[in-house]
Amino acid sequence: MSLKPKSKENLERLCMQFRQDLIKLLHGIQTGHPGGSLSSVEIMTTLYFEKLNVDPNNPKDENRDRFVLGKGHAAPMLYMILAEKGYFPQDELTSLRQLDSRLQGHPCALKTCGVELSTGPLGLGLPAGLGMALGAKLDGRDYRTYVLMGDGELQEGIVWEAAMSASKFKADNLTVIVDNNGVQLDGTVDEIMPMGDIAAKWRAFGWNVISIDGHLVEEISAAIDLAKTVKGQPSVIIAKTVKGKGVSFMEGKSAWHGKPISQNEYVSAMNELGVNV
Amino acid sequence: MTTVKKAIRDVYGDTLAQLGRENKNIVALDADVGSSSKSIVFGKEFPNRYFNVGVAEANMVAIAAGLATTGKIPFVNTFAAFMVLRGADPVRSLIAYTKLNVKLAGTYAGLSDSYDGASHHAIADIAFMRSLPNMTVVSISDPVEAELATRAAAQFKGPVYLRLSRAEVPVVFDKASYKFEIGRGVTLVDGSDLTIVATGYMLIKALEAAQILAAKGILARVVNIHTIKPIDRELLIACARETGAIVTAEEHNVFGGLGSAVAEVLVSECPVPIEFVGIEDTFTESGDYEKLLAKYGLSAANIVARAQKVLTRKQ
């Protein structure tokens, strides 16, 4: 089922709004990770506003789809989406990373309504997401589990332990999305630890692989639908993205993995995103 | 004490399978040591609820965390050494942090996998597990306790570390009368001169030591602390007040285990002389289990010696 023009327009509008709000938020609190949040805007927005069966009014519904943010440092993006969905008030967002806040620097499932799993230490999201998918199968429930991972995260050995396991247990109700932005904390992925042919690696572990442009909502939408039709094996969507997408001076720069935004940078970024400040 | 012996791991495996019959939400995971941990007993009966993930302990612990979020009660099985060393990240970051209802069954704890050597001995697991907020730490002494503690862990809401031995050990407790309660220590022998506080297999050594001491006219109280966290503060304080001296005994490094936990309570509540019986911060080696325990000071004789020493320090 292809994305309706109205849905596409709505998602793109939301993505622009989230980019603006993200820059404003991270400039305001002077901490947090802009780069990896910006690269995953379209992926998370399409999931939450078009695909996931979740209800903020019934956040623990046993049949809800599960979303796990493996790359926990993109927490600001997740929080903005959860607030927009109505899991908690929008005005709480500015408490991010501050004392007594429910919004921790990395997602905490105990503190934040709508967060399915506490993440941050990279690599744990996939095996835990697999556990959720196995739980669905044991209970005969048809919800799906989605895990969003970074490409630097793929360097964690546990990712491949879990990849083997998902294949063995035929977790066809599990979809991984790799935010393939090519940049990690210390430099580009190619410089730090070249990953080679990521698609071939997943395929070799028994996964159905779908490669897309991770900034095109219609491609994301179609890939998520396609993954649902695959039986007997888990699916991974390798979404080619740009770290810092939408703010030219952040794009592809490892320095923007996690760095405070200065006043001048803030003005310039907001101008690029179509807002005069 | 009877002389009937049973292997802790056999009792654990049978109990896990029985729990599986009683509650369909109980699932079990293993990392290719199911025949050793005896989780295979459960696996044979409930193949759909048994996940052998191969040699990948951290992955196993993290999968269990995910299963727990869906209402399952996962029992995670591997050697205690690898539960802690390999599983540490998901144990801390997923299970303890979010209070997930996962039961971590660390088998072959202490030196009980004796011939495999120091690489397989677990002498730091209590220290790690008890340093995690939200973690309950239970160390099992005899076959009866193995059954009751495994049942109690399944009933308990929240993360539990079960410390299990590979060894065949004597049955100490009477199953019909033993009241096992997480967090509640048990006095086995009364005495007024000192208290021996023991956990795991060292409880049996403590009972032997008490008999030897009694023959010398020293009346040692023997207390079983099966729950190292949360520890039974009231009982420990009462023992310190009433007997005025403590010897702790554990199959673990003297740093960070039972002895440390006891000292932490007493130093602020009722400071009395304490002597620690445990592994003296050294790596161990391969060998016959009993000989190995004796070489590293985990013996009734050493408990007796420490008891005599602590009495010289008593006011």
Side-chain angles (χ1 to χ4, degrees), chain B residues 137-161:
Chain B
V137 180
V138 176
S139 155
I140 286 158
S141 63
D142 94 325
V144 169
E145 203 168 74
E147 178 181 345
L148 298 178
T150 305
R151 286 196 159 276
Q155 289 287 324
F156 186 87
K157 287 247 344 147
V160 177
Y161 174 59

Side-chain angles (χ1 to χ4, degrees), chain A residues 66 104 106-110 116-118 121 124 127-128 130-132 134-136 138-139 143 158 161-162 165 168-169, chain B residues 25 27 48-53 55-59 62-63 65-67 69-70 72 89-90 92-94 97-99:
Chain A
R66 268 57 164 190
Q104 296 299 293
H106 291 82
C108 177
L110 275 189
E116 295 285 359
L117 188 81
S118 301
L124 299 184
L130 171 58
M132 294 174 185
L134 294 174
L138 285 172
D139 289 338
Y143 67 79
I158 193 173
E161 298 180 3
S165 304
K168 171 186 169 178
F169 297 124
Chain B
N25 280 326
V27 299
N48 294 335
R49 286 149 58 189
Y50 184 65
F51 303 95
N52 194 329
V53 304
V55 192
E57 294 82 6
N59 176 44
I63 292 173
L67 280 161
T69 69
T70 73
K72 301 295 162 206
D89 183 2
R92 179 203 73 132
S93 308
L94 300 177
Y97 188 29
T98 321
K99 298 185 195 168

